[in-house]
Amino acid sequence: MKKTRYTCGLDAAIDVVGGKWKVLILWALYEPGTLRFGQLRREVPGVSERILAVQLRDLEKAGLVRREMYHQVPPKVEYSLTELGKSLVAALVPLGEWGDAHMTTIEAIPRD
Amino acid sequence: MKKTRYTCGLDAAIDVVGGKWKVLILWALYEPGTLRFGQLRREVPGVSERILAVQLRDLEKAGLVRREMYHQVPPKVEYSLTELGKSLVAALVPLGEWGDAHMTTIEAIPRD
């Protein structure tokens, strides 16, 4: 287990969120509350099964997502946000609104 | 010039911010208003000259940072946030506060 030092809270937060998938997964779980793997995959367009599984494991380790397994046949696995995960999504709302408001500008940014 | 399609505003915003350096650079420019390259480098701990130069060029292309060159000897170059850049930093404040509030938890996350 490696400890990381951060410059500031934003640095730390960005490290936890780490790329677009984690953010989209957290976002997708916010409203419905609980989703099964397949449902979650449909809510995050373009994500592969492998990437979703890896990102979910990371989010679980980070204490942001709860994974609950029901021992039935076939086994049912459900994902939901922890309190920490909910507070993170709430903190991401203004950033999402900024992206919505400036979508056209952002899409027009020249990329290499 | 390639156009990108986004799932939602948050997806778009995260794509613009892209990793920890851009966020830290925007953050560093917020309070002082205007900084020269060397000053900015000191405000973003751990950033190399090359990385800072590349990230600044990206931020300028995205319309978030303004670069002003004064033709004097030696030439003076100053960086500041545009209105768009300022609005992005404002939207990042809650995320930074979340990171501050949960710093200990974040530092203790097991990493591979």
Side-chain angles (χ1 to χ4, degrees):
Chain A
M1 183 167 139
K2 204 186 105 218
K3 270 208 160 196
T4 322
R5 294 257 139 223
Y6 295 107
T7 308
C8 62
L10 193 57
D11 186 10
I14 291 283
D15 193 35
V16 173
V17 172
K20 77 174 221 173
W21 292 122
K22 290 206 176 72
V23 165
L24 294 182
I25 294 165
L26 293 171
W27 200 259
L29 282 169
Y30 196 55
E31 291 248 306
T34 303
L35 288 177
R36 297 178 66 165
F37 189 88
Q39 294 175 314
L40 192 49
R41 210 189 142 186
R42 278 190 294 280
E43 290 298 318
V44 182
V47 76
S48 73
E49 220 173 287
R50 208 191 74 85
I51 287 181
L52 183 55
V54 171
Q55 304 289 317
L56 276 171
R57 216 168 308 135
D58 281 356
L59 290 169
E60 211 190 324
K61 269 197 262 177
L64 297 165
V65 164
R66 192 181 299 108
R67 180 182 186 276
E68 223 146 350
M69 189 164 167
Y70 299 89
H71 294 279
Q72 52 186 55
V73 183
K76 190 169 93 170
V77 183
E78 284 186 341
Y79 297 89
S80 57
L81 294 179
T82 60
E83 286 310 307
L84 187 66
K86 282 182 202 165
S87 67
L88 176 53
V89 175
L92 283 166
V93 168
L95 190 61
E97 288 173 349
W98 182 89
D100 277 332
H102 302 286
M103 188 71 92
T104 317
T105 312
I106 298 169
E107 284 185 339
I109 296 171
R111 285 154 221 275
D112 305 321
Chain B
M1 184 167 139
K2 204 185 105 218
K3 270 206 160 200
T4 322
R5 295 257 138 224
Y6 295 107
T7 309
C8 63
L10 193 58
D11 186 10
I14 290 282
D15 193 34
V16 173
V17 172
K20 76 174 222 172
W21 293 122
K22 290 205 176 70
V23 166
L24 293 182
I25 294 165
L26 293 170
W27 200 259
L29 282 169
Y30 195 55
E31 292 249 304
T34 303
L35 287 178
R36 298 178 65 165
F37 189 87
Q39 294 174 314
L40 192 48
R41 209 188 144 188
R42 278 190 295 279
E43 290 299 318
V44 182
V47 76
S48 73
E49 220 173 287
R50 208 190 75 82
I51 287 180
L52 182 55
V54 171
Q55 304 289 315
L56 276 170
R57 215 169 308 137
D58 282 357
L59 290 169
E60 210 190 324
K61 268 198 264 178
L64 297 165
V65 164
R66 192 182 299 109
R67 181 183 185 274
E68 224 147 348
M69 190 163 165
Y70 299 89
H71 294 279
Q72 53 185 57
V73 183
K76 190 170 92 171
V77 183
E78 284 186 342
Y79 297 89
S80 57
L81 294 179
T82 61
E83 285 310 306
L84 187 66
K86 281 181 203 167
S87 67
L88 175 54
V89 175
L92 284 166
V93 167
L95 190 60
E97 288 173 348
W98 182 89
D100 277 331
H102 301 286
M103 187 69 92
T104 317
T105 311
I106 299 169
E107 285 184 340
I109 296 170
R111 285 155 220 274
D112 304 322

